[in-house]
Amino acid sequence: MNILVINAGSSSLKYQLMHPETGDVCAKGICERIGIDGRLVHKLPHDDKKIVRELAMPTHAEAIAAVLDILVDPQCAVISSVDEIDAVGHRVVHGGVEFVESCIINEECKAALRDCIPLAPLHIPANLMGIEACEKAMPGKPQVAVFDTAFHMTMPPKAYRYAIPEEFYEKDHLRRYGFHGTSHQYVSQRAAELMGRPLSELKIINCHLGNGSSLSAVDGGKCIDTSMGLSPLAGVPMGTRSGDIDPAIVQYIMHTRHLTIDECMDIFNKKSGVYALSNGVSSDFRDLEDGAAKGDPGCILALEKFCYQVCKYVGAYAAALGGLDALTFTAGVGENGPNTRSAVCETLGFLGIKLDPEKNTVHGEETLISTPDSKVQVWVIPTNEELMIARDTAKLCGE
Ligand code: ADP
């Protein structure tokens, strides 16, 4: 089967054409600057060459047309006709309480998705534009929506409810949703496969640590808690996002600094996190590690605070799970940050976690990095959200 995986943002659209059975990627790329001018950057597998096409993309419709055009281009030899695409899988950022699993896209699904717009006003309209552009370009082609929030919908009320008046939950749907769900689900499944044990028997904590970071507690394959909340601003400090803060800070800085609520949110989303703790040195962990190695106190604090918060979440989730079989690291920092992994695991030694320092040097490869006598297995597992989307799409389209 050939599944086209689409991740549509407001001004960009990423795509991958892949085989869900093997995970083989036939081609991938990105359309950038949609609505501005337009550029398509296309990559073929087993080839470092990039094909760049500058063309007008006033809307997502032109972007999808450009993607289909290059996929059938004889020069690229990917597919010879759009008919060879069996189905399209869309990454959708927020599914509200409506979507507890992936679903075939039809008018009812799109209407329910529109009802979720207040929960993610920047992202859902872009996802819908991607969906509608595909409908227009490939009428009748099965399409599936895969939600970042769906995997977390198994959380019990004690995990997802906020301790605020009930009307905000009942009428406004304010609750913890969680994000990166496709990644947490993929990594949990892969951990069980690699451990050679049924997922239904395992207690796993996943650390998805990238520019955006979240942790999840997974009991028997079901998410019971996660660090992000109503929005992806909650949880551990991130590249430029604050993570958890006291909500009274908002009122305080609005009054003392005469800021509007939008200005406050801009600070918490774009000027906080490890970027702020490092006094503006960088939001990138490689730069922070370089700075820390040179003794920069801000970089040292940023890394310490990040690892401290990750450890606190792991400790809390080990308690929530009532035990722990595996700890996984994924995403940019999780897959490529031996120093972060060792700092976290050293503090968690009291849980019986022991890292093998040699194995922990790994970058971006599936590896067991704990020692044989570690009470908890620690794994590096590169995430593959596109494969998870392609598999769900293939499953729902009946193959
Ligand atoms: P996003 O949330 O945008 O998908 P990624 O998962 O790509 O982010 O993670 C980006 C982060 O991964 C950056 O902060 C970068 O510093 C970090 N990273 C990538 N490679 C390395 C590395 N070799 N060592 C430490 N951190 C790395």
Side-chain angles (χ1 to χ4, degrees):
M1 259 190 129
N2 287 319
I3 303 290
L4 180 61
V5 176
I6 298 288
N7 182 353
S10 56
S11 67
S12 74
L13 182 147
K14 293 186 198 140
Y15 61 93
Q16 280 196 20
L17 186 71
M18 64 195 305
H19 300 313
E21 310 85 1
T22 57
D24 285 346
V25 177
C26 314
K28 64 177 178 181
I30 181 167
C31 297
E32 299 168 323
R33 301 174 62 84
I34 301 170
I36 306 166
D37 38 27
R39 175 170 56 213
L40 179 143
V41 182
H42 184 77
K43 282 193 216 150
L44 294 166
H46 324 300
D47 191 346
D48 287 339
K49 254 195 348 234
K50 279 184 196 162
I51 300 167
V52 179
R53 287 184 179 172
E54 311 273 348
L55 23 101
M57 293 179 189
T59 70
H60 288 65
E62 290 80 14
I64 286 291
V67 171
L68 298 179
D69 194 54
I70 201 155
L71 288 174
V72 300
D73 189 325
Q75 268 193 318
C76 304
V78 179
I79 46 173
S80 50
S81 140
V82 172
D83 293 342
E84 289 174 44
I85 299 172
D86 296 286
V88 185
H90 292 267
R91 176 189 182 207
V92 179
V93 165
H94 212 308
V97 285
E98 279 302 312
F99 296 101
V100 298
E101 56 190 6
S102 304
C103 71
I104 300 248
I105 296 169
N106 52 26
E107 289 310 312
E108 200 186 338
C109 160
K110 283 194 288 177
L113 200 48
R114 279 188 206 103
D115 290 341
C116 297
I117 288 177
L119 292 167
L122 298 179
H123 292 99
I124 295 178
N127 298 150
L128 275 164
M129 283 193 278
I131 290 167
E132 281 163 359
C134 286
E135 284 176 340
K136 200 171 144 202
M138 296 171 276
K141 186 85 68 196
Q143 298 201 63
V144 168
V146 179
F147 302 91
D148 266 19
T149 47
F151 180 61
H152 303 301
M153 295 310 284
T154 49
M155 286 190 288
K158 66 184 175 189
Y160 72 67
R161 281 291 296 274
Y162 290 117
I164 57 175
E166 191 180 18
E167 60 177 301
F168 293 113
Y169 170 65
E170 292 295 342
K171 295 208 178 89
D172 302 294
H173 311 296
L174 297 190
R175 50 161 283 170
R176 186 182 289 285
Y177 289 96
F179 297 86
H180 296 138
T182 318
S183 173
H184 288 288
Q185 185 175 15
Y186 173 81
V187 172
S188 313
Q189 288 180 0
R190 200 65 202 120
E193 283 164 17
L194 292 164
M195 292 167 81
R197 290 180 58 188
L199 182 56
S200 57
E201 283 177 8
L202 294 172
K203 294 180 189 294
I204 303 175
I205 297 175
N206 299 304
C207 307
H208 176 114
L209 310 179
N211 190 31
S213 295
S214 68
L215 287 88
S216 66
V218 179
D219 197 354
K222 291 196 164 40
C223 177
I224 63 151
D225 210 342
T226 190
S227 59
M228 284 179 167
L230 172 75
S231 81
L233 189 52
V236 297
M238 303 173 218
T240 61
R241 281 176 248 165
S242 62
D244 300 334
I245 56 166
D246 182 341
I249 291 176
V250 181
Q251 183 201 33
Y252 190 91
I253 63 169
M254 280 178 79
H255 283 165
T256 57
R257 302 290 183 114
H258 309 293
L259 298 174
T260 64
I261 190 67
D262 287 345
E263 287 166 337
C264 284
M265 295 317 288
D266 199 59
I267 290 170
F268 300 138
N269 273 303
K270 299 188 185 146
K271 296 179 186 135
S272 298
V274 291
Y275 170 78
L277 289 165
S278 69
N279 286 321
V281 170
S282 182
S283 60
D284 189 299
F285 278 69
R286 286 163 289 199
D287 299 335
L288 297 175
E289 290 198 1
D290 288 348
K294 290 182 192 130
D296 183 293
C299 294
I300 294 171
L301 175 65
L303 293 172
E304 280 183 359
K305 174 81 181 172
F306 179 76
C307 293
Y308 180 65
Q309 292 297 101
V310 170
C311 285
K312 287 199 328 193
Y313 267 103
V314 175
Y317 288 170
L321 288 164
L324 185 60
D325 298 300
L327 178 68
T328 72
F329 287 96
T330 194
V333 182
E335 292 167 27
N336 298 294
N339 295 337
T340 301
R341 294 192 300 250
S342 65
V344 167
C345 290
E346 206 167 296
T347 309
L348 295 170
F350 74 97
L351 287 173
I353 290 177
K354 277 195 212 164
L355 270 203
D356 178 327
E358 262 309 295
K359 297 209 172 114
N360 185 40
T361 55
V362 71
H363 284 259
E365 266 174 57
E366 287 180 343
T367 311
L368 177 65
I369 59 169
S370 50
T371 59
D373 64 337
S374 177
K375 279 201 194 127
V376 176
Q377 290 197 3
V378 185
W379 286 89
V380 170
I381 301 180
T383 194
N384 194 341
E385 288 156 289
E386 292 78 14
L387 179 56
M388 200 74 225
I389 294 171
R391 283 188 181 154
D392 265 15
T393 303
K395 200 165 65 190
L396 281 170
C397 295
E399 300 268 336

Short mmCIF file of all heavy atoms in Angstrom, two decimals, residues 98-140:
data_model
loop_
_atom_site.label_atom_id
_atom_site.label_comp_id
_atom_site.label_asym_id
_atom_site.label_seq_id
_atom_site.Cartn_x
_atom_site.Cartn_y
_atom_site.Cartn_z
N GLU A 98 -14.11 14.78 21.38
CA GLU A 98 -14.84 14.04 20.34
C GLU A 98 -14.07 12.83 19.83
O GLU A 98 -14.65 11.78 19.57
CB GLU A 98 -15.06 14.98 19.13
CG GLU A 98 -16.23 15.93 19.28
CD GLU A 98 -17.52 15.18 19.51
OE1 GLU A 98 -17.79 14.22 18.77
OE2 GLU A 98 -18.25 15.55 20.43
N PHE A 99 -12.76 13.02 19.65
CA PHE A 99 -12.00 12.01 18.92
C PHE A 99 -11.09 11.22 19.86
O PHE A 99 -10.06 11.72 20.29
CB PHE A 99 -11.19 12.67 17.80
CG PHE A 99 -12.05 13.32 16.76
CD1 PHE A 99 -12.26 14.69 16.77
CD2 PHE A 99 -12.68 12.57 15.78
CE1 PHE A 99 -13.05 15.31 15.81
CE2 PHE A 99 -13.48 13.17 14.82
CZ PHE A 99 -13.67 14.54 14.84
N VAL A 100 -11.48 10.00 20.16
CA VAL A 100 -10.67 9.16 21.05
C VAL A 100 -9.78 8.22 20.24
O VAL A 100 -8.95 7.51 20.79
CB VAL A 100 -11.54 8.36 22.06
CG1 VAL A 100 -12.31 9.31 22.95
CG2 VAL A 100 -12.48 7.42 21.33
N GLU A 101 -10.00 8.20 18.94
CA GLU A 101 -9.13 7.41 18.05
C GLU A 101 -9.19 8.00 16.65
O GLU A 101 -9.98 8.89 16.38
CB GLU A 101 -9.56 5.93 18.03
CG GLU A 101 -10.99 5.73 17.64
CD GLU A 101 -11.45 4.30 17.87
OE1 GLU A 101 -10.71 3.48 18.44
OE2 GLU A 101 -12.58 4.01 17.46
N SER A 102 -8.32 7.47 15.77
CA SER A 102 -8.26 7.97 14.40
C SER A 102 -9.59 7.68 13.71
O SER A 102 -10.30 6.74 14.09
CB SER A 102 -7.14 7.27 13.64
OG SER A 102 -5.93 7.45 14.33
N CYS A 103 -9.96 8.47 12.71
CA CYS A 103 -11.24 8.22 12.03
C CYS A 103 -11.17 8.58 10.56
O CYS A 103 -10.37 9.42 10.15
CB CYS A 103 -12.38 8.96 12.71
SG CYS A 103 -12.31 10.70 12.46
N ILE A 104 -12.04 7.91 9.79
CA ILE A 104 -12.19 8.22 8.37
C ILE A 104 -12.81 9.62 8.26
O ILE A 104 -13.74 9.94 9.01
CB ILE A 104 -13.13 7.20 7.68
CG1 ILE A 104 -12.55 5.80 7.80
CG2 ILE A 104 -13.46 7.63 6.25
CD1 ILE A 104 -12.08 5.15 6.52
N ILE A 105 -12.27 10.41 7.36
CA ILE A 105 -12.78 11.78 7.24
C ILE A 105 -14.03 11.80 6.33
O ILE A 105 -14.00 11.32 5.21
CB ILE A 105 -11.70 12.71 6.67
CG1 ILE A 105 -10.52 12.80 7.65
CG2 ILE A 105 -12.27 14.10 6.38
CD1 ILE A 105 -9.28 13.46 7.10
N ASN A 106 -15.12 12.33 6.92
CA ASN A 106 -16.35 12.56 6.14
C ASN A 106 -16.93 13.89 6.63
O ASN A 106 -16.29 14.59 7.43
CB ASN A 106 -17.34 11.39 6.33
CG ASN A 106 -17.58 11.11 7.81
OD1 ASN A 106 -17.43 12.01 8.65
ND2 ASN A 106 -17.94 9.89 8.14
N GLU A 107 -18.10 14.24 6.15
CA GLU A 107 -18.66 15.56 6.51
C GLU A 107 -18.89 15.68 8.01
O GLU A 107 -18.67 16.73 8.61
CB GLU A 107 -19.97 15.81 5.73
CG GLU A 107 -19.78 16.07 4.24
CD GLU A 107 -18.73 17.14 3.95
OE1 GLU A 107 -18.76 18.23 4.56
OE2 GLU A 107 -17.85 16.90 3.08
N GLU A 108 -19.33 14.57 8.63
CA GLU A 108 -19.60 14.57 10.08
C GLU A 108 -18.30 14.81 10.86
O GLU A 108 -18.26 15.60 11.82
CB GLU A 108 -20.17 13.19 10.43
CG GLU A 108 -20.93 13.13 11.70
CD GLU A 108 -21.31 11.67 12.00
OE1 GLU A 108 -21.35 10.84 11.07
OE2 GLU A 108 -21.55 11.38 13.18
N CYS A 109 -17.24 14.14 10.41
CA CYS A 109 -15.94 14.28 11.07
C CYS A 109 -15.45 15.72 10.94
O CYS A 109 -14.95 16.31 11.91
CB CYS A 109 -14.96 13.29 10.44
SG CYS A 109 -13.23 13.68 10.72
N LYS A 110 -15.61 16.30 9.75
CA LYS A 110 -15.13 17.68 9.56
C LYS A 110 -15.94 18.66 10.42
O LYS A 110 -15.38 19.61 10.97
CB LYS A 110 -15.21 18.06 8.08
CG LYS A 110 -14.08 17.44 7.26
CD LYS A 110 -13.95 18.07 5.90
CE LYS A 110 -15.08 17.65 5.00
NZ LYS A 110 -15.04 18.28 3.69
N ALA A 111 -17.24 18.40 10.56
CA ALA A 111 -18.07 19.29 11.38
C ALA A 111 -17.62 19.20 12.84
O ALA A 111 -17.49 20.22 13.54
CB ALA A 111 -19.54 18.90 11.25
N ALA A 112 -17.34 17.97 13.31
CA ALA A 112 -16.88 17.80 14.70
C ALA A 112 -15.51 18.47 14.90
O ALA A 112 -15.24 19.04 15.95
CB ALA A 112 -16.80 16.31 15.04
N LEU A 113 -14.70 18.40 13.85
CA LEU A 113 -13.38 19.02 13.93
C LEU A 113 -13.50 20.55 14.01
O LEU A 113 -12.77 21.20 14.76
CB LEU A 113 -12.58 18.60 12.69
CG LEU A 113 -11.07 18.72 12.72
CD1 LEU A 113 -10.48 18.13 13.99
CD2 LEU A 113 -10.49 18.00 11.49
N ARG A 114 -14.48 21.08 13.26
CA ARG A 114 -14.69 22.54 13.32
C ARG A 114 -15.11 22.96 14.73
O ARG A 114 -14.72 24.02 15.21
CB ARG A 114 -15.75 22.98 12.30
CG ARG A 114 -15.16 23.10 10.92
CD ARG A 114 -16.12 23.71 9.90
NE ARG A 114 -15.71 23.22 8.61
CZ ARG A 114 -16.33 22.25 7.92
NH1 ARG A 114 -17.45 21.73 8.37
NH2 ARG A 114 -15.85 21.83 6.77
N ASP A 115 -15.86 22.08 15.42
CA ASP A 115 -16.27 22.41 16.80
C ASP A 115 -15.06 22.47 17.74
O ASP A 115 -15.14 23.05 18.82
CB ASP A 115 -17.25 21.34 17.33
CG ASP A 115 -18.60 21.42 16.63
OD1 ASP A 115 -18.89 22.47 16.02
OD2 ASP A 115 -19.34 20.42 16.69
N CYS A 116 -13.96 21.83 17.35
CA CYS A 116 -12.76 21.81 18.20
C CYS A 116 -11.88 23.04 17.99
O CYS A 116 -10.89 23.22 18.71
CB CYS A 116 -11.91 20.57 17.93
SG CYS A 116 -12.72 19.01 18.29
N ILE A 117 -12.21 23.87 16.99
CA ILE A 117 -11.32 25.00 16.64
C ILE A 117 -10.97 25.89 17.84
O ILE A 117 -9.81 26.26 17.99
CB ILE A 117 -11.89 25.82 15.45
CG1 ILE A 117 -11.75 24.99 14.17
CG2 ILE A 117 -11.18 27.16 15.28
CD1 ILE A 117 -12.33 25.63 12.92
N PRO A 118 -11.93 26.21 18.75
CA PRO A 118 -11.55 27.08 19.87
C PRO A 118 -10.42 26.50 20.72
O PRO A 118 -9.67 27.24 21.35
CB PRO A 118 -12.85 27.19 20.70
CG PRO A 118 -13.94 26.88 19.73
CD PRO A 118 -13.37 25.91 18.74
N LEU A 119 -10.25 25.18 20.70
CA LEU A 119 -9.19 24.55 21.50
C LEU A 119 -7.81 24.70 20.85
O LEU A 119 -6.80 24.62 21.54
CB LEU A 119 -9.50 23.07 21.73
CG LEU A 119 -10.71 22.77 22.61
CD1 LEU A 119 -11.11 21.31 22.52
CD2 LEU A 119 -10.43 23.15 24.06
N ALA A 120 -7.76 24.86 19.55
CA ALA A 120 -6.47 25.02 18.85
C ALA A 120 -6.70 25.91 17.64
O ALA A 120 -6.68 25.47 16.50
CB ALA A 120 -5.90 23.66 18.44
N PRO A 121 -6.94 27.22 17.90
CA PRO A 121 -7.40 28.12 16.82
C PRO A 121 -6.38 28.33 15.71
O PRO A 121 -6.75 28.73 14.60
CB PRO A 121 -7.70 29.43 17.56
CG PRO A 121 -7.05 29.32 18.89
CD PRO A 121 -6.88 27.87 19.21
N LEU A 122 -5.11 28.09 15.97
CA LEU A 122 -4.12 28.29 14.91
C LEU A 122 -3.95 27.02 14.08
O LEU A 122 -3.71 27.07 12.88
CB LEU A 122 -2.76 28.69 15.50
CG LEU A 122 -2.73 30.01 16.26
CD1 LEU A 122 -1.34 30.28 16.82
CD2 LEU A 122 -3.14 31.16 15.34
N HIS A 123 -4.05 25.85 14.77
CA HIS A 123 -3.68 24.60 14.11
C HIS A 123 -4.82 23.91 13.36
O HIS A 123 -4.63 23.43 12.25
CB HIS A 123 -3.10 23.62 15.14
CG HIS A 123 -1.78 24.08 15.67
ND1 HIS A 123 -1.64 24.72 16.87
CD2 HIS A 123 -0.55 24.00 15.13
CE1 HIS A 123 -0.37 25.01 17.06
NE2 HIS A 123 0.32 24.58 16.02
N ILE A 124 -6.02 23.82 13.97
CA ILE A 124 -7.09 23.04 13.33
C ILE A 124 -7.50 23.63 11.98
O ILE A 124 -7.65 22.88 11.01
CB ILE A 124 -8.30 22.84 14.28
CG1 ILE A 124 -7.85 21.99 15.48
CG2 ILE A 124 -9.45 22.13 13.56
CD1 ILE A 124 -8.92 21.76 16.52
N PRO A 125 -7.63 24.96 11.85
CA PRO A 125 -7.99 25.48 10.52
C PRO A 125 -6.95 25.08 9.46
O PRO A 125 -7.33 24.77 8.32
CB PRO A 125 -8.02 27.00 10.74
CG PRO A 125 -8.36 27.15 12.19
CD PRO A 125 -7.65 26.03 12.88
N ALA A 126 -5.68 25.04 9.83
CA ALA A 126 -4.64 24.64 8.87
C ALA A 126 -4.80 23.17 8.52
O ALA A 126 -4.70 22.78 7.35
CB ALA A 126 -3.26 24.90 9.47
N ASN A 127 -5.08 22.33 9.52
CA ASN A 127 -5.31 20.90 9.25
C ASN A 127 -6.49 20.72 8.31
O ASN A 127 -6.44 19.93 7.37
CB ASN A 127 -5.57 20.13 10.55
CG ASN A 127 -4.41 20.15 11.54
OD1 ASN A 127 -4.61 20.08 12.74
ND2 ASN A 127 -3.19 20.24 11.03
N LEU A 128 -7.57 21.49 8.55
CA LEU A 128 -8.76 21.40 7.70
C LEU A 128 -8.46 21.84 6.26
O LEU A 128 -8.97 21.26 5.31
CB LEU A 128 -9.90 22.24 8.28
CG LEU A 128 -10.74 21.55 9.36
CD1 LEU A 128 -11.56 22.56 10.15
CD2 LEU A 128 -11.69 20.52 8.73
N MET A 129 -7.60 22.85 6.14
CA MET A 129 -7.23 23.31 4.78
C MET A 129 -6.49 22.20 4.04
O MET A 129 -6.72 21.99 2.85
CB MET A 129 -6.37 24.57 4.87
CG MET A 129 -7.20 25.81 5.18
SD MET A 129 -6.28 27.32 4.89
CE MET A 129 -5.34 27.47 6.39
N GLY A 130 -5.63 21.48 4.75
CA GLY A 130 -4.91 20.35 4.15
C GLY A 130 -5.88 19.27 3.71
O GLY A 130 -5.77 18.70 2.62
N ILE A 131 -6.85 18.97 4.56
CA ILE A 131 -7.85 17.93 4.26
C ILE A 131 -8.67 18.33 3.03
O ILE A 131 -8.85 17.55 2.09
CB ILE A 131 -8.77 17.71 5.50
CG1 ILE A 131 -7.98 17.03 6.62
CG2 ILE A 131 -10.02 16.92 5.12
CD1 ILE A 131 -8.67 17.02 7.99
N GLU A 132 -9.14 19.58 3.03
CA GLU A 132 -10.00 20.02 1.92
C GLU A 132 -9.22 20.11 0.61
O GLU A 132 -9.76 19.82 -0.46
CB GLU A 132 -10.71 21.32 2.30
CG GLU A 132 -11.90 20.99 3.20
CD GLU A 132 -12.48 22.15 3.98
OE1 GLU A 132 -11.97 23.27 3.86
OE2 GLU A 132 -13.45 21.90 4.73
N ALA A 133 -7.95 20.49 0.69
CA ALA A 133 -7.12 20.54 -0.52
C ALA A 133 -6.96 19.13 -1.10
O ALA A 133 -7.02 18.95 -2.32
CB ALA A 133 -5.76 21.15 -0.20
N CYS A 134 -6.81 18.13 -0.25
CA CYS A 134 -6.68 16.74 -0.73
C CYS A 134 -8.00 16.26 -1.32
O CYS A 134 -8.01 15.55 -2.33
CB CYS A 134 -6.25 15.81 0.40
SG CYS A 134 -4.52 16.01 0.83
N GLU A 135 -9.11 16.62 -0.68
CA GLU A 135 -10.43 16.22 -1.22
C GLU A 135 -10.62 16.76 -2.63
O GLU A 135 -11.13 16.08 -3.51
CB GLU A 135 -11.55 16.76 -0.31
CG GLU A 135 -11.69 15.97 0.98
CD GLU A 135 -12.75 16.57 1.90
OE1 GLU A 135 -13.09 17.77 1.75
OE2 GLU A 135 -13.21 15.85 2.79
N LYS A 136 -10.17 18.01 -2.81
CA LYS A 136 -10.33 18.66 -4.12
C LYS A 136 -9.41 18.01 -5.16
O LYS A 136 -9.82 17.76 -6.29
CB LYS A 136 -9.97 20.15 -3.96
CG LYS A 136 -10.52 21.03 -5.04
CD LYS A 136 -10.31 22.49 -4.66
CE LYS A 136 -10.00 23.28 -5.94
NZ LYS A 136 -9.29 24.53 -5.67
N ALA A 137 -8.19 17.72 -4.75
CA ALA A 137 -7.21 17.20 -5.71
C ALA A 137 -7.42 15.72 -6.01
O ALA A 137 -7.05 15.25 -7.08
CB ALA A 137 -5.80 17.43 -5.17
N MET A 138 -7.97 14.97 -5.02
CA MET A 138 -8.13 13.52 -5.20
C MET A 138 -9.54 13.11 -4.77
O MET A 138 -9.71 12.42 -3.75
CB MET A 138 -7.10 12.77 -4.34
CG MET A 138 -5.66 13.01 -4.75
SD MET A 138 -4.49 12.31 -3.56
CE MET A 138 -4.42 13.61 -2.34
N PRO A 139 -10.57 13.53 -5.54
CA PRO A 139 -11.94 13.24 -5.10
C PRO A 139 -12.17 11.74 -4.91
O PRO A 139 -11.72 10.94 -5.73
CB PRO A 139 -12.81 13.78 -6.24
CG PRO A 139 -11.91 14.50 -7.18
CD PRO A 139 -10.50 14.19 -6.84
N GLY A 140 -12.80 11.40 -3.79
CA GLY A 140 -13.14 10.00 -3.54
C GLY A 140 -12.02 9.19 -2.88
O GLY A 140 -12.25 8.06 -2.43
#
